[in-house]
Amino acid sequence: MAEYLIQAADYVITIDDARRELRGADILIRDGVIAEVGHGLESSGEVIRATGCIVTPGLVNTHHHLFQTLTRAVPGGQDALLFGWLKTLYPIWARFGPEEMRVSAMIGLAELARSGCTLSADHLYLFPNGARLDDTIEAAVEVGLRFHPTRGAMSIGESAGGLPPDALVEDEKYILGDCIRVIDRFHDPRDGSMCRVGVAPCSPFSVSRDLMRESANLARNQGVMMHTHLAENAEDVTYSLERFGCRPGQYAEDLGWTGPDVWHAHCVKLDGQEIELFSETRTGVAHCPCSNCRLGSGIAPVREMRDRGVRVGLGVDGSASNDSANMMAETRQAMLLQRVSRGADAMSAREALEIATRGGAEVLGRNDCGQISPGKRADIAIWDVSGIESAGSWDPAALVLAGPQEVRDLFVEGRQVVRDGHITTLDLPQVIAQQTRLARRLAERV
Ligand SMILES: [Zn+2]
């Protein structure tokens, strides 16, 4: 595999154990791994000049629904709360098929890559018209991002008291069988893995208790992680109290959904006891600040979570509720949102960047990623700070506060996926044309 020397970066923000920030430093990449970090390094490989740049670990996205890049800013869903928003979108999603899943995932992953993201989870929970998890995995292989797809599911339709239409729910036995199929086919547990599969029933309001419990058993038997939505807003908590007679944290605990192999999206409404439960059990959280703002869900208590030792990563969430998928913008929003409720010292730019990189990697069980340190995987973002956004700043934390919000170069497993702002792995204009054609077809039938 190619060797690269990233040379003479203005700053390398390592987020290593000592949280070093190195001036004028080099990074040597060999065989997909960071071989050396220091000054005056030499290499026979390609030299990437990084003068005028800040180099950070690749950002890690812990929650997404890539298919939703085909339903950004849909009329009728633009100003609704969670449940109303879902009910607007379900009938549109019911018309998706394999091509929609594959193309929307390529667009979503390319968009993430340009914003510095090297590793993304995805939560796909509906499989209409022959769509499969495989469609999104093919897209990730093509784009070249490290990918943690989760096999989602919905099994309680409207007629049984759930939220989704009956046409979008699946049989529970089939769901569990398909989880095993995709784990057998795609899951790679090794260091440096480019694909790890997770098990992810959509939410307490769209699957049964049995499916939650059996999914947890299945995931633990197979040695994969588990993911779902939890305590996203007030409606979600009310549903839990009325239907299950307990708060979401209790529901999760009762069904085996706490532990270091579990991460929950949102957790906006966790109370003090639930935060303590997540801390004790090492349960992870995917914090999605833009989506929480867009749907008016509230401000997740991230400060309290972090102070009590809860593992927190960031997620852009699906593009029907963000509606952009820019990881650096998400990082800035995470910092700003804590300050709205807790004051200007509630979260620093450096802490937000740490949550977006190392924090997310830890939530996804990837201790081989998320920092620039010898022996870790070569997932690296290079940000050009010679442009207008950076003119006038001299502290590297300005990257989060001021931008830029798109990378110049991006390496994933030592492979250059973005060069001079362009995706190297795709004919992006052609994929955008495909996406536009598919979106038009969906819009015409609304
Ligand atoms: Zn979500």
Side-chain angles (χ1 to χ4, degrees):
M1 189 177 264
E3 184 172 299
Y4 289 96
L5 179 64
I6 299 170
Q7 194 176 56
D10 285 9
Y11 279 96
V12 175
I13 304 182
T14 64
I15 319 199
D16 65 4
D17 290 345
R19 305 299 191 269
R20 291 182 304 158
E21 294 180 3
L22 306 171
R23 290 185 86 147
D26 309 329
I27 301 166
L28 181 63
I29 299 173
R30 190 182 296 133
D31 297 330
V33 173
I34 297 168
E36 269 184 85
V37 182
H39 295 90
L41 303 184
E42 287 179 12
S43 163
S44 54
E46 186 179 341
V47 173
I48 309 280
R49 288 290 295 177
T51 308
C53 295
I54 292 174
V55 180
T56 68
L59 276 54
V60 177
N61 178 37
T62 59
H63 185 65
H64 206 338
H65 311 288
L66 286 164
F67 71 94
Q68 294 180 7
T69 60
L70 264 171
T71 49
R72 296 186 211 254
V74 167
Q78 285 180 19
D79 308 312
L81 289 176
L82 177 65
F83 283 14
W85 170 85
L86 280 168
K87 287 187 162 184
T88 303
L89 286 157
Y90 284 141
I92 304 173
W93 295 336
R95 294 201 300 274
F96 277 46
E99 191 188 10
E100 281 81 2
M101 293 302 179
R102 193 177 62 83
V103 174
S104 58
M106 282 198 286
I107 288 290
L109 290 167
E111 188 181 9
L112 284 171
R114 291 224 307 219
S115 72
C117 177
T118 49
L119 163 58
S120 183
D122 188 46
H123 188 183
L124 180 55
Y125 51 81
L126 40 88
F127 301 89
N129 307 307
R132 299 190 303 169
L133 197 68
D134 314 37
D135 306 320
T136 61
I137 295 172
E138 276 170 29
V141 169
E142 239 176 290
V143 179
L145 253 60
R146 212 181 285 286
F147 196 42
H148 284 210
T150 60
R151 205 297 182 187
M154 300 196 292
S155 65
I156 303 288
E158 262 175 326
S159 64
L163 201 69
D166 290 356
L168 274 180
V169 304
E170 297 177 286
D171 171 71
E172 297 197 346
K173 270 212 172 66
Y174 176 79
I175 291 166
L176 293 166
D178 198 51
C179 286
I180 292 174
R181 180 187 70 80
V182 290
I183 292 166
D184 285 349
R185 173 132 191 239
F186 298 108
H187 181 70
D188 176 2
R190 296 170 296 180
D191 259 18
S193 168
M194 291 297 287
C195 183
R196 286 197 192 161
V197 177
V199 173
C202 185
S203 61
F205 52 82
S206 55
V207 304
S208 72
R209 276 175 197 266
D210 280 351
L211 187 65
M212 290 295 289
R213 196 180 289 114
E214 284 178 37
S215 297
N217 291 338
L218 183 152
R220 289 189 170 123
N221 283 334
Q222 301 280 325
V224 303
M225 292 190 71
M226 301 144 60
H227 181 50
T228 192
H229 294 97
L230 202 77
E232 180 165 349
N233 72 352
E235 288 172 302
D236 197 351
V237 175
T238 302
Y239 185 93
S240 184
L241 289 169
E242 283 174 1
R243 177 111 179 165
F244 309 126
C246 63
R247 289 189 49 89
Q250 180 79 54
Y251 181 79
E253 190 185 22
D254 289 350
L255 298 172
W257 276 78
T258 52
D261 53 353
V262 182
W263 84 106
H264 292 288
H266 301 299
C267 300
V268 172
K269 297 294 179 187
L270 289 195
D271 67 13
Q273 255 183 328
E274 290 169 312
I275 292 172
E276 201 51 50
L277 170 70
F278 275 40
S279 169
E280 279 168 13
T281 55
R282 306 287 297 141
T283 307
V285 170
H287 172 46
C288 307
C290 287
S291 172
N292 297 160
C293 288
R294 157 76 148 81
L295 293 174
S297 299
I299 302 173
V302 173
R303 182 70 275 147
E304 291 87 336
M305 291 179 190
R306 296 261 304 163
D307 289 346
R308 295 212 224 162
V310 175
R311 298 178 304 129
V312 181
L314 291 188
V316 297
D317 203 3
S319 301
S321 68
N322 185 328
D323 303 51
S324 117
N326 184 302
M327 269 301 293
M328 186 53 82
E330 203 70 38
T331 305
R332 183 171 189 265
Q333 188 76 7
M335 173 192 74
L336 295 176
L337 195 54
Q338 288 309 297
R339 293 175 180 215
V340 171
S341 62
R342 301 288 301 257
D345 60 353
M347 184 178 287
S348 70
R350 283 179 170 81
E351 183 178 9
L353 187 62
E354 175 162 334
I355 293 171
T357 53
R358 186 170 172 152
E362 285 170 0
V363 164
L364 296 182
R366 296 304 298 253
N367 293 329
D368 55 338
C369 302
Q371 52 179 296
I372 297 179
S373 176
K376 301 295 181 187
R377 312 313 297 191
D379 290 4
I380 292 171
I382 303 179
W383 310 85
D384 182 347
V385 290
S386 65
I388 194 164
E389 313 89 339
S390 313
S393 66
W394 56 83
D395 185 278
L399 176 60
V400 176
L401 288 148
Q405 295 188 336
E406 294 205 343
V407 290
R408 188 192 77 179
D409 302 303
L410 188 79
F411 288 85
V412 183
E413 188 70 0
R415 176 188 187 202
Q416 192 161 14
V417 171
V418 180
R419 181 185 287 260
D420 290 328
H422 297 286
I423 305 282
T424 63
T425 48
L426 295 181
D427 179 351
L428 191 59
Q430 195 222 329
V431 184
I432 291 172
Q434 279 178 285
Q435 170 95 336
T436 306
R437 177 176 56 78
L438 293 173
R440 200 165 292 143
R441 200 163 73 187
L442 288 169
E444 274 165 10
R445 292 170 57 191
V446 168

